[in-house]
Amino acid sequence: MKQQRIDLIGILFLLTAMLTWASSFIAFKAALGPLGPMSLMFGRMLVASLCFVYFIKGFCKLEFTKKDVKYIFLLTLFEPCLYFIFEAKALQLTTASQAGMITSMMPLMTAIAASFVLKEYLSKRVVIGSILAVSGAVWLSLGAQSSEHASNPLLGNLLEFCAMVCGTWYAISVRYLSQRFSALFLTAIQTFIGTIFFAPLALWEYLTLPMTITGEVVGWICYLGIVVTLGGYGMFNLALGRIEASKASVFVNLIPVFTVLLAYILLGEVLSQTEMMASFVIFGGIIISQLPRFRAKEKLL
């Protein structure tokens, strides 16, 4: 049997993308103090949109069917609109570390949703891993204590879970649209519609909440809009050109690990012993779901 060659460059792209996406939790948490969550999201979407202005002329040449328009609507509704509303509120109430742990459940949730909607294969080990991961997430939330970094971690983690539900249906929409449109267009349409969606919410915050726009906040907004949105997706797309999507998706599980490390280094957040144990349960469920099949045939659920 011919041994497959390990693509080190592709792996480097994936590691960079995961580290970049993990840093978004830190950047968002750091900028939330002087700026409201919806204003922060509007700034992020606006900066990212400006980076795509150059490509608008090319996008206008694309042709769309009614089904395409329906899926694009669902794509942008779930992410960035609903997804970032839930996540922005979640990061006001919980720590970046715990929010990062909840994100580790998204690949499992996507696999389950795809089995129902797209009739994709779903094995027993994925179901078992999902149950274990959800149990760990519930334990993590119930065992979390209020602190200066998390005023209401139970509600915050619940909102982050809602964001993962939105992210799951976003992934389902992408699986259809990616067959007809480039990742560049799909990312651009998200930022354009996200800018329009968050603009009135940001205006409402500006009129009702005390906010301070500092150079540091502007820096975080530019980082989120350019580095996280363009850099992260760019690295991930480059990796997909070298590594199979099924293998690349496993690297998403590194996001909570990087998030915990960055939150400890930059924000001083530390998981308690109970939270660490719950996190290991989550990872245990993920590992079980990713184990290779040892039997030639496995029953379809």
Side-chain angles (χ1 to χ4, degrees), residues 61-78:
K61 298 178 181 178
L62 297 174
E63 297 182 356
F64 305 92
T65 65
K66 290 183 178 180
K67 191 174 183 181
D68 294 335
V69 174
K70 182 184 75 172
Y71 272 97
I72 288 174
F73 170 77
L74 292 175
L75 173 84
T76 54
L77 173 66
F78 288 121

Side-chain angles (χ1 to χ4, degrees), residues 21-64:
W21 286 340
S23 69
S24 68
F25 290 96
I26 313 304
F28 210 99
K29 191 77 175 179
L32 266 179
L35 205 61
M38 297 301 103
S39 301
L40 184 54
M41 280 310 310
F42 170 69
R44 174 181 179 175
M45 292 292 105
L46 178 62
V47 170
S49 295
L50 293 176
C51 297
F52 286 112
V53 169
Y54 174 80
F55 302 98
I56 290 179
K57 187 176 181 180
F59 295 154
C60 292
K61 298 178 181 178
L62 297 174
E63 297 182 356
F64 305 92

Side-chain angles (χ1 to χ4, degrees), residues 78 84 113 147 182 194 197 236-237 269:
F78 288 121
F84 284 121
S147 66
S182 68
F197 178 83
F236 191 70
N237 291 335
E269 294 182 2

Side-chain angles (χ1 to χ4, degrees), residues 13 17 29 44 73 85 106 121 123 188 192 194 196 234 237 246 258 261 266 269 275 282 292 294:
F13 285 152
K29 191 77 175 179
R44 174 181 179 175
F73 170 77
I85 283 181
M106 185 174 165
Y121 179 79
S123 65
F192 292 147
I196 297 171
N237 291 335
S246 59
F258 288 149
L261 292 175
L266 300 176
E269 294 182 2
E275 292 166 351
I282 295 175
F294 295 101

